[in-house]
Amino acid sequence: MSSEHLVVAVDGPSGSGKSSVSRAAATRLGVGYLDTGAMYRAVTWWCLEEGVDLDDRAAVAQAAREIPLVMGTDPAHASVRVGGREIEDAIRTTRVSEVVSKVATNTQVRPVLQELQRELMDEIATRTGGVVAEGRDITTVVAPDADVRVLLTASVEARLRRRSRELHGGDDAAAVAATRDQIVRRDRDDSTVSDFMEAADGVRLLDTSDLDFEQSVDALVDLVRAEAPAKVRG
């Protein structure tokens, strides 16, 4: 990872807001953005489209090596393309969400995507002057030498409300109940291969349970400015 440019790594549990907060923080900081979780979703989508058995771990790992994946890096315009096809919306569907853990917990897939993530982070940082990358293992495995490493978290209740509003347009009891399995199960499954509930040494904990979106972005940007003042523009 280039030492010349700002590198921010953000991890956290499902529904913590790490994606939306990281995108907004990257925009504020004037740097590029990488959603590594979308890469696992893209491989999942690709396997479903190509008829690859998600339980065949070696076949899924091979798909991860071969997928013609292009990740958008502009925080203002989320984009994921496979073979020239825009799939940003497709990878967020229930169809993918229900099975993405099979790819994300595949220990043959993770090293493949982690190496690609390192390459993308270095390319983005060099091209834009910095990068905010978020997702599993970013703070500990992919970029342990990042200038700023943050575990962005929130209470289970807060995460369920946020994801319910995102998926169902509201956070009433029925919407929260419909979301609970996805959040709780995804965290349980992912925790078998990645530690994202406790901040590792050198990783700053940012709890947004009692913060709204703008306050959460402010808190992350303030933390970056405090931790790496020499690399922050303006």
Side-chain angles (χ1 to χ4, degrees):
M1 208 72 63
S2 173
S3 61
E4 298 177 23
H5 308 294
L6 175 68
V7 177
V8 180
V10 181
D11 202 344
S14 300
S16 60
K18 62 183 180 293
S19 294
S20 55
V21 170
S22 294
R23 278 198 305 271
T27 298
R28 291 251 203 108
L29 294 165
V31 300
Y33 165 75
L34 181 63
D35 177 355
T36 65
M39 297 171 70
Y40 289 98
R41 287 179 171 273
V43 172
T44 304
W45 176 88
W46 176 248
C47 287
L48 293 174
E49 291 290 304
E50 295 294 305
V52 177
D53 182 357
L54 294 179
D55 292 317
D56 185 337
R57 298 169 74 83
V60 175
Q62 187 61 30
R65 297 185 190 96
E66 297 176 349
I67 183 173
L69 176 65
V70 177
M71 296 296 299
T73 61
D74 182 348
H77 302 285
S79 175
V80 181
R81 302 183 72 85
V82 170
R85 177 178 174 182
E86 177 58 62
I87 62 166
E88 170 64 29
D89 292 336
I91 65 173
R92 310 295 175 182
T93 61
T94 300
R95 175 194 182 214
V96 171
S97 295
E98 287 181 341
V99 293
V100 65
S101 284
K102 289 189 175 184
V103 173
T105 58
N106 186 328
T107 53
Q108 296 181 49
V109 169
R110 297 191 72 81
V112 174
L113 292 188
Q114 287 165 354
E115 182 58 31
L116 179 56
Q117 289 157 15
R118 293 185 189 99
E119 293 172 2
L120 287 171
M121 289 175 68
D122 192 50
E123 184 274 325
I124 295 166
T126 300
R127 175 166 48 84
T128 70
V131 61
V132 177
E134 55 91 0
R136 299 280 186 265
D137 288 337
I138 289 293
T139 60
T140 54
V141 178
V142 178
D145 55 349
D147 298 298
V148 185
R149 296 184 295 152
V150 180
L151 179 67
L152 195 151
T153 189
S155 67
V156 174
E157 293 75 15
R159 292 189 285 124
L160 283 171
R161 289 195 302 272
R162 292 169 183 172
R163 187 55 61 85
S164 295
R165 289 193 292 269
E166 176 186 329
L167 295 178
H168 306 292
D171 56 7
D172 56 76
V176 169
T179 307
R180 180 175 293 276
D181 177 67
Q182 185 183 127
I183 292 288
V184 174
R185 177 176 51 80
R186 179 76 193 276
D187 283 350
R188 183 189 66 234
D189 291 347
D190 286 2
S191 66
T192 64
V193 295
S194 178
D195 185 4
F196 54 86
M197 300 303 288
E198 299 289 337
D201 289 345
V203 177
R204 297 291 299 272
L205 181 65
L206 178 55
D207 191 328
T208 65
S209 300
D210 298 321
L211 304 179
D212 63 21
F213 176 71
E214 288 300 329
Q215 290 171 330
S216 299
V217 177
D218 288 342
L220 178 55
V221 171
D222 288 347
L223 195 158
V224 172
R225 292 184 183 281
E227 293 283 309
K231 294 186 179 181
V232 176
R233 300 170 178 172

